[in-house]
Amino acid sequence: MVSEESNELKLLFIQEELSQHGEWLADVLTDVIERQKLVRTGALQESIEYSGFMEGENPGLRFKFLSYGRAVDIAGYKENRHKVNTMRDIWGQKQNTMSKRRNRWYAKSMYSGYYKLVARIMYGLSDLEIERLKGILENRKKGEN
């Protein structure tokens, strides 16, 4: 009985942490998109959503947004390997172009929070948190009866 209650507590704790992380990540991604001025129609920001799911006994977090938004981030990492500035090489003139705008919004935000989530799940289950979760489980059981 104790191990079953312990497993329920751990599962509830992980589900709550994943939900909080999903909310945090959605906020961070929308803020980064606004801050870097990558908004054209607003459809990308509106499409960002998350949901928790269970696969067997394992909880998870599913994140969704329009697919073209990820392509913007990928394009930021690609560079032309064969840069040739013919105007400078032949005529000695400087190229009159604007610098590229930073558009890396997904990878940096996604992976910066990943290790925070892992740390919270591994070390965040304190005695106070256990008592709070036990209260939630007791309320659920009372509601079922």
Side-chain angles (χ1 to χ4, degrees):
M1 181 68 182
V2 174
S3 65
E4 184 179 320
E5 184 178 274
S6 174
N7 288 340
E8 287 181 35
L9 282 172
K10 290 176 186 175
L11 181 64
L12 180 60
F13 175 71
I14 291 171
Q15 287 173 335
E16 284 186 348
E17 287 297 324
L18 287 173
S19 177
Q20 289 175 3
H21 182 72
E23 186 174 333
W24 172 82
L25 186 57
D27 292 341
V28 166
L29 290 177
T30 54
D31 289 345
V32 169
I33 291 170
E34 285 176 9
R35 193 175 41 232
Q36 292 185 3
K37 298 177 182 165
L38 299 174
V39 180
R40 289 189 185 157
T41 63
L44 177 60
Q45 287 176 302
E46 293 171 7
S47 71
I48 294 176
E49 58 185 51
Y50 69 94
S51 61
F53 68 92
M54 291 290 290
E55 189 172 300
E57 293 184 12
N58 302 319
L61 182 65
R62 184 171 290 125
F63 220 82
K64 295 190 290 186
F65 53 87
L66 291 174
S67 62
Y68 77 84
R70 182 71 176 105
V72 170
D73 194 25
I74 292 169
Y77 291 104
K78 292 182 180 177
E79 284 188 30
N80 186 356
R81 292 184 185 181
H82 305 287
K83 289 184 179 179
V84 178
N85 189 346
T86 56
M87 294 299 284
R88 187 190 71 220
D89 293 342
I90 296 173
W91 301 103
Q93 294 177 351
K94 291 184 179 178
Q95 192 175 14
N96 190 15
T97 60
M98 295 176 57
S99 62
K100 255 187 160 179
R101 208 169 63 191
R102 287 185 50 206
N103 60 358
R104 298 177 186 169
W105 63 275
Y106 173 78
K108 185 177 180 182
S109 304
M110 179 72 175
Y111 295 112
S112 68
Y114 175 73
Y115 296 110
K116 292 176 188 176
L117 172 66
V118 170
R120 283 197 318 258
I121 288 176
M122 287 179 65
Y123 306 113
L125 195 56
S126 65
D127 293 336
L128 188 62
E129 186 71 17
I130 290 171
E131 291 303 318
R132 185 183 72 81
L133 294 173
K134 281 183 180 178
I136 291 172
L137 289 175
E138 287 175 12
N139 288 339
R140 283 185 183 176
K141 289 179 181 178
K142 287 179 185 176
E144 289 176 1
N145 294 334

